[in-house]
Amino acid sequence: EVQLEESGGGLVQPGGSLRLSCVASGFTFSNYWMSWVRQVPGKGLEWVANMKQDGSETYYADPVRGRFTISRDNAKNSLNLQMSSLRVEDTAVYYCAREVLPNPWSTMGYLDSWGQGTLVTVSS
Amino acid sequence: IQMTQSPSTLSASVGDRVTITCRASQNIKTWLAWYQQKPGKAPKLLIYKASTLESGVPSRFNGSGSGTEFILTIDSLQPDDFATYYCQQYDLYWSSFGQGTELEIK
């Protein structure tokens, strides 16, 4: 059974930093692209970033580019999101998700497994 | 790419057939997925590539469309189907979701 478990959320002040982690199990982590998606409580879903299997390609949504860094450690089956210069509008539940790309030259795919999410609150 | 879903809220009864529309601001071919989300839970994949049913998803869920207009149809609504539904495009160097359609019990 595919399992994804996020951790690292919490309360942080504007301008601060936070590192989220996601540990995967039940599948060969190094075979999959992985994504982060966030959701402001009560609002819709927003794709944040994704990373190729070997870490050689990463893509970011405009609101987080330059402030967030996605990374992975295939030996530890883990995906990370380093968030810096945090803003009030970054407050959300952050999900990690396994991504399936439609063909070898794609850079985006659909998300077939999700973690339960971790809440990040940016507030003074 | 902007994804626009309609309606934002849909009231229906058990046994009804409902349709949710998702429009893309540009041609995304068939690179579209549909998700179901219940309160406090992570989204669940229903359909990918516009019309391919994810394994384990009941056959009353049906997706169609290509280009810029897509439809999710749910036949014979069951109590478990009342939730929020999102479309997602995955065509280019970023992904984006529709704003969601809340399906509520009439």
Side-chain angles (χ1 to χ4, degrees), chain A residues 33-112:
Chain A
W33 283 68
M34 296 294 294
S35 270
W36 287 98
V37 175
R38 68 184 180 182
Q39 185 173 36
V40 173
K43 302 297 184 182
L45 300 167
E46 181 183 25
W47 175 78
V48 172
N50 71 346
M51 173 171 266
K52 192 176 180 178
Q53 293 95 325
D54 61 0
S56 62
E57 292 182 44
T58 57
Y59 298 92
Y60 296 92
D62 285 346
V64 308
R65 187 177 294 113
R67 300 187 299 121
F68 290 11
T69 302
I70 189 173
S71 63
R72 64 192 295 164
D73 184 339
N74 286 342
K76 296 182 178 180
N77 290 345
S78 69
L79 179 74
N80 305 297
L81 187 67
Q82 179 67 45
M83 305 184 294
S84 59
S85 302
L86 282 162
R87 306 167 180 166
V88 171
E89 55 265 34
D90 294 319
T91 295
V93 174
Y94 285 73
Y95 295 100
C96 76
R98 189 175 79 171
E99 190 167 3
V100 179
L101 272 62
N103 49 56
W105 55 89
S106 295
T107 57
M108 294 289 137
Y110 59 89
L111 306 170
D112 73 342

Side-chain angles (χ1 to χ4, degrees), chain B residues 14-35:
Chain B
V14 172
D16 285 354
R17 181 176 189 260
V18 298
T19 61
I20 298 170
T21 299
C22 179
R23 290 186 172 86
S25 59
Q26 60 191 73
N27 184 355
I28 59 168
K29 308 170 197 67
T30 55
W31 304 132
L32 185 107
W34 289 98
Y35 300 86

